[in-house]
């Protein structure tokens, strides 16, 4: 996680010094590649070797208590995570005309789940990490997700990605940022706004 954290600082400073769309594209692709190596590959690899349940044994940690409850909670989180990941990917590819981690969006996506949360793909990823830890009953993996993966990625979103979006979309992103929450979906407020608009 330290590699992602330090890379975010270095490339975030570089983007502040050379604020252009070309630099946005290059630095974003680099950081996404680092994130893939530091976050996604270890998670996927850990499923097969040594296996999620083996981390605790290798490190001398007790597994999560209340296994049936933890597994059921993890399964629920996995369903919610899949929803947010799939719909946000569809929004980026279809509405934004981009590809996550490869091509930046040409348009600012404000529809679908992006109406209620600015970072639905990240939200889905976080829930997915927690779901894996809970379903595997792994104390280590759950703590690693909560104390390292999620904080490092949130720092990336706040220090780098928000700046990159502001540089590319300007006033429209600033206005979007003011009305839509960062990471916790605000469904009730969205319904209230919809009721007012239709009244």
């Amino acid at each position: 996680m330290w590699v992602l954290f330090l890379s975010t600082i270095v490339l975030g400073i570089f983007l502040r010094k050379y604020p252009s769309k070309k630099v946005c594209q290059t630095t974003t692709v680099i950081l996404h590649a680092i994130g893939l190596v530091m976050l996604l590959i270890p998670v996927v690899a850990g499923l097969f070797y040594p296996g999620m349940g083996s981390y605790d044994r290798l490190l001398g940690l007790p597994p999560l208590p209340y296994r049936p409850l933890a597994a059921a909670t993890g399964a629920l989180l996995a369903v919610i995570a899949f929803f947010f990941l799939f719909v946000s990917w569809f929004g980026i590819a279809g509405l934004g005309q981009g590809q996550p981690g490869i091509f930046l969006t040409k348009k600012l996506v404000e529809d679908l789940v992006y109406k209620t949360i600015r970072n639905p793909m990240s939200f889905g990823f976080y829930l997915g990490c927690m779901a894996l830890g809970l379903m595997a009953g792994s104390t280590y993996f759950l703590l690693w997700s909560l104390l390292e993966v999620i904080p490092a990625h949130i720092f990336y979103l706040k220090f780098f990605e928000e700046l990159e979006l502001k540089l590319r979309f300007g006033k429209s992103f600033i206005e979007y940022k003011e009305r839509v929450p960062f990471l916790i979906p605000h469904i009730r407020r969205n319904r209230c706004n919809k009721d007012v608009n239709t009244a």
Side-chain angles (χ1 to χ4, degrees), residues 48-97:
F48 302 100
Y49 183 82
M52 290 292 180
S54 300
Y55 288 119
D56 295 342
R57 188 174 66 254
L58 292 170
L59 296 170
L61 293 172
L64 291 174
Y66 310 109
R67 274 302 289 280
L69 178 60
T73 304
L76 177 62
L77 290 181
V79 172
I80 299 170
F82 179 79
F83 169 78
F84 275 94
L85 288 167
F86 178 77
V87 176
S88 57
W89 175 85
F90 180 79
I92 289 173
L95 302 176
Q97 300 175 11

Side-chain angles (χ1 to χ4, degrees), residues 77-119:
L77 290 181
V79 172
I80 299 170
F82 179 79
F83 169 78
F84 275 94
L85 288 167
F86 178 77
V87 176
S88 57
W89 175 85
F90 180 79
I92 289 173
L95 302 176
Q97 300 175 11
Q99 284 295 331
I102 303 171
F103 301 112
L104 298 181
T105 53
K106 295 177 182 177
K107 298 178 181 178
L108 181 64
V109 183
E110 301 179 60
D111 291 322
L112 303 174
V113 288
Y114 288 90
K115 287 182 178 180
T116 59
I117 182 175
R118 296 202 310 270
N119 297 283

